[in-house]
């Protein structure tokens, strides 16, 4: 059963461009290396210019876990951290 | 530029199955009839058994507007309404 993830990330004012650069690289690595990932797309909120929302779909729970353990995901953390204004809010969903 | 939509819908307790049936039909009609729709997938929240989350992606603003004006979307409203516990919460996003 497919799994959805919606991650909301708030960036520090003025750090949006840096966030987009790092996140764009991460998204490319996810698409290139994770066969179990079906969607990994980052959007900008229309309401809050400092909020980004990532839509993610994985084919199953193991694919989601493989994402969290991947080298590219772990390597992105220290680069994304300094752009963020707080902890990401992550919502886990099961496909219907 | 692609547009993302995240719609959160709360159903009345016990109405989940009916909601899923009506929404499943709608999703099929969206996929079959809206060339500008790139994703229309409904998920169930892991935290709240009465909450559903729809991930939607449109190729552009006209595609989003065509969705809202479509006969199948308008026809689904009166069928979905009686299953819901309140107004849907809809978040509009621009792709990065």
């Amino acid at each position: 059963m497919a799994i959805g993830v919606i991650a909301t990330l708030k960036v520090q004012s003025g750090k949006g461009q840096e966030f987009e650069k790092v996140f764009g690289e991460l998204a490319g690595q996810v698409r290139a290396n994770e066969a179990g990932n079906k969607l990994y797309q980052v959007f900008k909120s229309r309401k809050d210019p400092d909020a980004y929302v990532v839509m993610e779909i994985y084919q199953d729970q193991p694919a989601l876990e493989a994402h969290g353990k991947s080298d590219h995901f772990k390597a992105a953390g220290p680069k994304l951290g300094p752009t963020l204004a707080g902890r990401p809010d992550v919502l886990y969903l099961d496909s219907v």
Side-chain angles (χ1 to χ4, degrees), chain A residues 55-78:
Chain A
M55 289 189 196
E56 307 172 31
I57 299 177
Y58 299 88
Q59 70 185 15
D60 52 23
Q61 185 70 22
L64 170 61
E65 286 166 17
H67 170 69
K69 288 177 189 161
S70 67
D71 288 342
H72 50 268
F73 182 75
K74 286 187 197 162

Side-chain angles (χ1 to χ4, degrees), chain A residues 15 20 73 86:
Chain A
K15 295 282 180 79
E20 289 182 24
F73 182 75

